[in-house]
Amino acid sequence: MTIQDLNFDKKRVLIRLDLNVPIEKNKIVSHARIKSSIPTIKKILKRNAKVILMSHLGRPKEGIYESKYSLFPVFEYLKKIFLKTNVYFFSKYEDSKNIKSGELCLLENVRFNIGETTNNLELSLKYSNLCDIFIMDAFGSAHRKHASTYGISKFCKKKCIGPLVLKEINSLNKIFKNPVRPMVSILGGSKISTKFKILNTLGKISDYIIVGGGIANTFIAINNKIGKSLHEKEYISKAYDLLKKYKIIIPVDSRVSTSFHQDSIAILKDVNKISKNEEIMDIGLKTEKVIQKIIKKSNTIIWNGPVGVFEFNQFANGTKCIAESISKNKGFSIAGGGDTISAIEKFNIEDKISYISTGGGSFLHFLENKKLPAIEILKK
């Protein structure tokens, strides 16, 4: 069911969102996830509902309040967005029952509650008692069987998926259902050991897979000495098997340094000339040119993960090259993952990507062709 199938007039509507945004010194660093949830909130408010929002933030210890994990900064941001609406913040969830139609409230971080991450049924029942209707619109948490994403659906008589989740699923399905070719997948990250399933899934549907970061380093280490670069020695043979099986593009040159620091000097080197005291921190110019050509010819692009230490300007060129190449492409592009979104924001190409997924783990789970528990229970 979707929001089109239900009557929200004067109903208490609990919406599970993904408001897990980076916060530093009580200031929100990236508003991307909040902004993507605003349309859903507006749609339900317009239908004269009593709107209750819930989300997690970070990974606090259950039962222990820590101000750095509080959703209060998100509440302050929402107040600025909904200037003509009464907006409340509740640490005591029961207080949400007192809001009126057309009003909005945000509940404190669900992960402060004992039993949230273990999908405690008693807690799930308490959540369900807060509302008449439950909307699951947190795609980024849909792969988790938690009380606020999964357990609550067992007890709510009326529930549906939200517009954001629906849009995510429809956009991601374009990749699996007759994608326009050529199709390229770009995969970054530190550990290849956590990405074998997705490499196999993408390998079967992609014409090319471009790898970066520690994942690429493990591939490079098949035939080269890579100094003190981040990689997983124990998975080199498994990486070699993938290389024989799929069209995987690995760097031919890199930007290296002898120290890991934002002021480190980037040295361009072919991957077969890296010294013992050097570490790979970005792809090189030759590799950039190869990638540019592939992306230019592609009609479907999947991007998950930067290809270097893009937080340091000296080593941001590779990720910037990918971002700009995708922004010039007129085909269908989809990007997902926290670091990927940060890179997209840094290089200011938000409006040049066909679809930016709000999910990190859920995005990868979906690409691995796994079922998302919080969505599956709603189907049942």
Side-chain angles (χ1 to χ4, degrees), residues 91-314:
S91 295
K92 293 180 180 178
Y93 287 15
E94 296 79 12
D95 292 343
S96 65
K97 291 185 177 182
N98 298 320
I99 67 169
K100 299 173 183 177
S101 295
E103 293 186 335
L104 172 67
C105 74
L106 173 65
L107 305 180
E108 182 57 284
N109 191 345
V110 292
R111 289 193 180 171
F112 287 154
N113 303 324
I114 295 173
E116 166 61 22
T117 58
T118 55
N119 190 36
N120 179 274
L121 292 181
E122 191 177 333
L123 181 62
S124 300
L125 178 60
K126 285 181 180 178
Y127 288 158
S128 71
N129 288 333
L130 297 173
C131 65
D132 302 305
I133 301 170
F134 171 64
I135 301 174
M136 176 57 187
D137 210 27
F139 181 79
S141 302
H143 63 302
R144 302 187 188 279
K145 279 190 175 183
H146 288 180
S148 67
T149 60
Y150 184 84
I152 185 174
S153 291
K154 292 184 177 181
F155 300 102
C156 286
K157 290 182 179 179
K158 291 185 178 181
K159 60 247 179 184
C160 67
I161 60 169
L164 179 59
V165 169
L166 186 63
K167 192 175 181 182
E168 291 267 8
I169 292 169
N170 289 339
S171 297
L172 285 164
N173 272 331
K174 286 186 180 181
I175 294 164
F176 294 99
K177 295 179 180 178
N178 300 317
V180 183
R181 299 194 177 278
M183 174 175 166
V184 61
S185 296
I186 303 155
L187 196 64
S190 57
K191 293 184 177 181
I192 194 171
S193 57
T194 62
K195 300 289 174 73
F196 281 118
K197 284 185 179 179
I198 192 168
L199 280 164
N200 271 298
T201 300
L202 293 178
K204 291 170 187 175
I205 62 173
S206 304
D207 295 291
Y208 298 96
I209 299 178
I210 294 167
V211 290
I215 294 173
N217 295 347
T218 303
F219 280 106
I220 294 170
I222 294 169
N223 295 311
N224 303 280
K225 292 179 180 179
I226 57 172
K228 55 181 183 177
S229 304
L230 174 68
H231 71 294
E232 294 174 287
K233 289 181 182 178
E234 62 271 35
Y235 292 106
I236 290 175
S237 61
K238 208 168 178 181
Y240 181 58
D241 291 338
L242 285 173
L243 200 58
K244 290 188 291 182
K245 200 172 181 181
Y246 306 116
K247 186 69 176 179
I248 298 173
I249 309 300
I250 62 174
V252 292
D253 66 337
S254 303
R255 290 179 173 88
V256 304
S257 181
T258 54
S259 63
F260 188 89
H261 192 271
Q262 62 182 3
D263 297 322
S264 298
I265 296 170
I267 305 164
L268 274 169
K269 279 200 169 183
D270 288 347
V271 293
N272 61 351
K273 294 180 181 177
I274 295 169
S275 304
K276 285 183 180 180
N277 64 334
E278 292 174 332
E279 62 180 310
I280 298 169
M281 293 174 70
D282 193 12
I283 59 174
L285 286 171
K286 294 176 185 176
T287 307
E288 284 177 14
K289 288 178 181 177
V290 172
I291 290 172
Q292 282 173 333
K293 287 179 182 178
I294 292 171
I295 292 175
K296 189 177 181 180
K297 292 177 181 178
S298 298
N299 287 309
T300 303
I301 303 165
I302 306 169
W303 182 22
N304 176 253
V307 293
V309 190
F310 76 99
E311 298 90 345
F312 301 164
N313 289 333
Q314 290 268 43

